[in-house]
């Protein structure tokens, strides 16, 4: 996975910048669940694009990140992050070093997600939070991405008229493994987290999701980008 993102680092940023309303709908969602988050570690920070916007426009300062792609990490460092190059599976989250561990758009790229969730639980202090943000497998985007992945291309009659004008690059779609919201809830419950709460955005069909910037809504029943916040109990 890291090599693919090394090769397409600039394409990743370009896609988000070309889909500005999708980007800011997602940033609004992430910002809404990071209020009073304390010290945050961004696991899979990518190019640091979200962290840069959160710092400059939302007064949410994330200083530390983990990212397996060296090219992505280098861009993130230029944007002010202290980045360790490592996978989520291999990374050291510290011992009660962070109040919140943020996984924004990264759960689908972590093969051993449950082991990572358990490691996050062990590393957090009592009252610490884990935030999993991603496209649910059961959502419109999730179904569309999995169809494109199975077909190996966006250019197929079954997808004609279904996907947005500027779809997520196949290089990223092909290496992802989206999970249902129910699967992630089970992982968090089994790891010992409690107090789960949910926020969602991208509630329009993928064809129309970049037409307007959205503010997040509670729940997870209709959004194509969902944040789950869970707490390590005292």
């Amino acid at each position: 996975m890291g090599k693919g993102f090394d090769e397409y680092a600039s394409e990743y940023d370009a896609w988000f910048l070309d889909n500005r309303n999708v980007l800011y709908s997602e940033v609004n969602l992430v910002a809404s669940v990071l209020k009073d988050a304390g010290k945050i570690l961004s696991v899979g920070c990518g190019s640091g694009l979200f962290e840069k916007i959160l710092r400059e426009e939302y007064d949410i300062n994330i200083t530390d990140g983990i990212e397996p792609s060296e090219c992505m990490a280098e861009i993130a460092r230029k944007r002010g992050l202290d980045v360790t190059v490592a996978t989520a599976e291999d990374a050291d989250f510290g011992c009660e070093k962070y109040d919140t561990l943020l996984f924004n758009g990264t759960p689908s790229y972590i093969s051993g997600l449950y082991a990572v969730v358990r490691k996050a639980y062990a590393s957090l202090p009592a009252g610490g939070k884990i935030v999993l943000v991603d496209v649910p497998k059961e959502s419109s985007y999730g179904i569309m991405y999995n169809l494109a992945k199975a077909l190996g291309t966006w250019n197929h009659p079954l997808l004609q008229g279904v996907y947005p004008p500027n779809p997520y690059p196949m290089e990223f779609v092909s290496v992802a493994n989206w999970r249902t919201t129910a699967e992630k809830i089970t992982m968090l419950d089994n790891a010992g987290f409690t107090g789960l709460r949910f926020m969602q955005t991208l509630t329009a069909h993928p064809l129309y999701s970049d037409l307007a910037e959205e503010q997040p809504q509670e729940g997870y029943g209709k959004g194509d980008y969902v944040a789950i916040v869970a707490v390590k109990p005292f």
Side-chain angles (χ1 to χ4, degrees):
M1 194 265 303
K3 184 177 180 182
F5 276 79
D6 276 341
E7 187 175 352
Y8 298 104
S10 60
E11 192 172 351
Y12 172 86
D13 265 21
W15 183 85
F16 273 111
L17 296 173
D18 286 344
N19 291 270
R20 187 190 181 282
N21 285 326
V22 169
L23 170 62
Y24 273 83
S25 294
E26 294 186 3
V27 172
N28 290 337
L29 174 72
V30 176
S32 74
V33 294
L34 291 182
K35 296 173 182 175
D36 303 317
K39 188 171 178 61
I40 304 165
L41 174 66
S42 181
V43 183
C45 62
S47 67
L49 177 62
F50 276 74
E51 290 78 7
K52 179 178 186 287
I53 296 171
L54 288 167
R55 180 178 68 247
E56 294 180 351
E57 302 180 32
Y58 296 76
D59 198 29
I60 296 172
N61 191 23
I62 302 172
T63 57
D64 296 350
I66 291 169
E67 170 57 40
S69 162
E70 182 64 65
C71 290
M72 288 280 204
E74 190 55 37
I75 298 171
R77 289 179 185 127
K78 291 175 181 175
R79 288 174 166 159
L81 270 74
D82 182 1
V83 184
T84 299
V85 175
T87 64
E89 291 93 337
D90 294 337
D92 181 5
F93 297 160
C95 180
E96 301 188 3
K97 183 177 180 181
Y98 298 99
D99 302 297
T100 298
L101 297 181
L102 170 66
F103 296 78
N104 176 35
T106 58
S108 58
Y109 297 101
I110 299 172
S111 56
L113 183 59
Y114 180 52
V116 170
V117 168
R118 285 190 289 121
K119 181 168 68 172
Y121 183 91
S123 72
L124 286 166
K129 299 173 186 174
I130 186 172
V131 181
L132 301 181
V133 197
D134 211 349
V135 172
K137 183 180 179 181
E138 74 271 18
S139 70
S140 297
Y141 264 102
I143 294 168
M144 181 184 72
Y145 284 160
N146 271 329
L147 177 56
K149 179 178 178 178
L151 296 170
T153 179
W154 287 113
N155 187 25
H156 191 281
L158 288 175
L159 285 165
Q160 187 176 357
V162 173
Y163 63 88
N166 187 5
Y168 202 46
M170 276 302 301
E171 294 82 10
F172 304 146
V173 171
S174 63
V175 294
N177 173 30
W178 290 277
R179 297 173 177 86
T180 65
T181 304
E183 286 178 275
K184 285 174 274 193
I185 290 171
T186 298
M187 288 183 190
L188 291 165
D189 285 342
N190 289 344
F193 285 101
T194 59
L196 274 64
R197 64 186 183 93
F198 308 86
M199 297 291 287
Q200 61 189 330
T201 192
L202 301 183
T203 60
H205 186 280
L207 266 176
Y208 314 113
S209 58
D210 197 47
L211 296 181
E213 178 181 334
E214 290 188 34
Q215 295 302 320
Q217 305 174 31
E218 290 189 9
Y220 60 88
K222 56 186 178 179
D224 283 4
Y225 207 56
V226 171
I228 309 175
V229 183
V231 181
K232 180 176 179 175
F234 287 95

